[in-house]
Amino acid sequence: MSAKLLMIFIPALLAGCVSLDPHYERPQGAVSVEALKPLQNSQAANYRDLSWQNYVLDAQLRQVVAMALDSSRDLREAVASVKSAHAQYGEERANLLPTVSAGVSGSRSRALTGTGNQTAIINSYSAEGSVSSFELDLFGKNQSLTREQYETYLGTLEGARSTRLTVLYNTVNYWLQLAADRSNLAIAQETAASAQDSWQVTRKQMENGIASMVDVSSAETTYQSAQADVASYTTLVAQDKNALDLVVGRSVPDNLLPTRIESIGNALHEVPAGVSSDALLNRPDVLRAEHNLKSANASIGAARANFFPSISLTASGGVGSADLSTLFKNGAGIWSFAPSISLPIFKGGYNVAYLKYTKAQKEYYVAAYEKAVQTAFREVADALARRGTINDQLSSQRSNVAASQTYYRLADLRYRNGVDTYLNALTAQRTLYSARTSLVSTQQAYYLNLITFYKVMGGGTALQESDIKAE
């Protein structure tokens, strides 16, 4: 019995004899070794293994990021794509194994016995297992198609990791933008209040014959300008909140919103800014481009296999009996074996055209991979260049604000005591306003550089297996 059923599994033993995939080699030279040398650092951190929970230090911001990673529709779409790609890989992998079916059938019929008109009841029962039209993968076509789908799945997985990192970056970015615009709004309100006070003082001085109408008009101009900025920043604050809610996927509670950017403190972790030799190749977008290239490489193997014959087998084995009770004891052995071979002779040039297409696709993905590496190099280099100067700029900007505050205090005091003209006080006030808003922009740039470097280095852990497991 076992010998008869063995033929059912012979196709599985003969599958996958050879592969026609081209030998894969990772493209080199997208970025020169000389260009990488300025980025090397012996204290380089492995950002890919640095979880965002350890990188984001601000308690409010950490809760907002957790909400985004849980509710973001972009991330849900990416995870759904991973599940879909994994299921398609499972479908393709199933072609490597034969479809085995088993069944028991029986019939009962009346027939003439050949003696007069006498009839007899004939019973017939059979039980068998079968393999239906299984294609032997002698030239690796199904293996190549399976590898193609597997690399597509891995590429989709890296795409989900990239989306996760983008959601993290956008959440932090919009949260910082809201903090910066709230600071600018507060500065505009303080400036408007100060300008209104100066305007009232100037009007009284004009009534006493000390100031001119020109001074009054100048003071009013400063006040109205500050009021316009208040209205503008009020709009921006509302728009920033809407943008933050969108990237998070739901409304962020007020208690998790930043008050002003000056109150944030150490929102993000400071880590060494060096780049390891393999850092650029471990970014999710670069890995995705490489998996796409490997998928295209496997599709060439499948296209080459189209030029070779295909062999399909249909086989069955089992037992038959005239009595159901003796079917599995004394039943007679039955079997069938029906191989078929198909040799491609003429397809109107389809196989040649398809092979050319797959080779062209591989060239495309080679270029896409090299571009991804070059993009990674530029983004890391830009982030490092900004990081090398941002601390000096921040220190200088703080000193500029302190000097501008002293300048305005003295100029306003001199004007109120009639020592100096209002023009100098007005200039000092505008200088202070510009210095304070510039400091806000620099503080925002400082934090943004930290999260940008985390992003361009492929920071954060991968998706959990539970997040991508097909339901």
Side-chain angles (χ1 to χ4, degrees), residues 60 178-179 182-183 257-261 263:
Q60 290 177 310
L178 177 60
R182 280 189 165 184
S183 290
L257 300 177
T259 53
R260 299 173 63 166
I261 199 166
S263 64

Side-chain angles (χ1 to χ4, degrees), residues 62-91:
R62 186 182 294 155
Q63 293 184 60
V64 175
V65 171
M67 290 173 57
L69 296 180
D70 179 65
S71 303
S72 172
R73 299 306 186 270
D74 291 336
L75 190 54
R76 288 185 184 181
E77 290 179 2
V79 172
S81 297
V82 172
K83 293 179 179 180
S84 176
H86 188 269
Q88 290 178 323
Y89 162 62
E91 291 178 6

Side-chain angles (χ1 to χ4, degrees), residues 144-339:
S144 295
L145 292 175
T146 301
R147 278 191 293 272
E148 176 185 1
Q149 196 61 54
Y150 179 65
E151 294 297 339
T152 300
Y153 156 67
L154 293 181
T156 307
L157 179 59
E158 292 298 337
R161 290 170 176 165
S162 182
T163 300
R164 182 184 179 91
L165 193 54
T166 299
V167 169
L168 168 65
Y169 172 83
N170 288 339
T171 302
V172 175
N173 183 25
Y174 290 134
W175 194 83
L176 292 173
Q177 185 65 55
L178 177 60
D181 285 336
R182 280 189 165 184
S183 290
N184 287 328
L185 175 59
I187 293 172
Q189 291 172 335
E190 293 171 5
T191 302
S194 176
Q196 185 178 26
D197 180 63
S198 298
W199 182 23
Q200 292 174 350
V201 171
T202 305
R203 289 176 62 182
K204 290 181 180 180
Q205 289 181 341
M206 185 187 70
E207 293 173 357
N208 296 328
I210 300 176
S212 65
M213 189 63 189
V214 174
D215 294 336
V216 175
S217 298
S218 298
E220 182 180 6
T221 299
T222 302
Y223 169 72
Q224 297 297 345
S225 177
Q227 283 292 93
D229 286 345
V230 169
S232 177
Y233 283 121
T234 300
T235 301
L236 290 177
V237 166
Q239 292 175 340
D240 294 339
K241 176 59 165 57
N242 294 336
L244 181 61
D245 289 343
L246 179 61
V247 72
V248 170
R250 55 178 167 152
S251 179
V252 179
D254 292 339
N255 65 314
L256 298 182
L257 300 177
T259 53
R260 299 173 63 166
I261 199 166
E262 297 87 353
S263 64
I264 291 178
N266 296 324
L268 301 171
H269 187 49
E270 283 274 7
V271 294
V275 181
S276 63
S277 58
D278 295 331
L280 298 181
L281 303 181
N282 286 329
R283 283 186 17 157
D285 57 335
V286 175
L287 291 176
R288 181 180 188 180
E290 185 171 12
H291 286 305
N292 289 339
L293 175 57
K294 290 180 178 180
S295 176
N297 192 70
S299 67
I300 295 178
R304 287 175 173 175
N306 288 334
F307 291 90
F308 293 88
S310 61
I311 300 176
S312 298
L313 298 180
T314 299
S316 65
V319 291
S321 173
D323 191 338
L324 181 60
S325 62
T326 62
L327 178 62
F328 296 101
K329 294 181 180 180
N330 302 316
I334 58 175
W335 60 271
S336 68
F337 185 70

Side-chain angles (χ1 to χ4, degrees), residues 5-212:
L5 294 178
L6 183 61
M7 68 179 64
I8 299 176
F9 302 99
I10 289 178
L13 301 176
L14 297 178
C17 295
V18 69
S19 173
L20 299 179
D21 294 1
H23 176 67
Y24 174 78
E25 291 184 359
R26 174 182 287 174
Q28 304 293 333
V31 179
S32 64
V33 177
E34 290 73 16
L36 284 173
K37 286 182 178 179
L39 307 183
Q40 303 299 323
N41 190 320
S42 59
Q43 297 180 341
N46 189 348
Y47 279 76
R48 188 175 174 85
D49 295 334
L50 180 60
S51 68
W52 69 266
Q53 292 92 339
N54 293 329
Y55 195 77
V56 179
L57 303 179
D58 186 272
Q60 290 177 310
L61 179 56
R62 186 182 294 155
Q63 293 184 60
V64 175
V65 171
M67 290 173 57
L69 296 180
D70 179 65
S71 303
S72 172
R73 299 306 186 270
D74 291 336
L75 190 54
R76 288 185 184 181
E77 290 179 2
V79 172
S81 297
V82 172
K83 293 179 179 180
S84 176
H86 188 269
Q88 290 178 323
Y89 162 62
E91 291 178 6
E92 193 63 51
R93 184 176 55 183
N95 292 329
L96 298 176
L97 300 174
T99 301
V100 181
S101 59
V104 177
S105 62
S107 65
R108 182 181 179 87
S109 62
R110 183 186 298 271
L112 294 173
T113 62
T115 305
N117 293 325
Q118 295 181 358
T119 61
I121 302 300
I122 300 176
N123 296 323
S124 176
Y125 301 94
S126 65
E128 63 180 14
S130 63
V131 173
S132 178
S133 299
F134 176 70
E135 180 181 350
L136 296 183
D137 201 20
L138 297 179
F139 302 100
K141 178 181 179 180
N142 291 335
Q143 289 280 1
S144 295
L145 292 175
T146 301
R147 278 191 293 272
E148 176 185 1
Q149 196 61 54
Y150 179 65
E151 294 297 339
T152 300
Y153 156 67
L154 293 181
T156 307
L157 179 59
E158 292 298 337
R161 290 170 176 165
S162 182
T163 300
R164 182 184 179 91
L165 193 54
T166 299
V167 169
L168 168 65
Y169 172 83
N170 288 339
T171 302
V172 175
N173 183 25
Y174 290 134
W175 194 83
L176 292 173
Q177 185 65 55
L178 177 60
D181 285 336
R182 280 189 165 184
S183 290
N184 287 328
L185 175 59
I187 293 172
Q189 291 172 335
E190 293 171 5
T191 302
S194 176
Q196 185 178 26
D197 180 63
S198 298
W199 182 23
Q200 292 174 350
V201 171
T202 305
R203 289 176 62 182
K204 290 181 180 180
Q205 289 181 341
M206 185 187 70
E207 293 173 357
N208 296 328
I210 300 176
S212 65

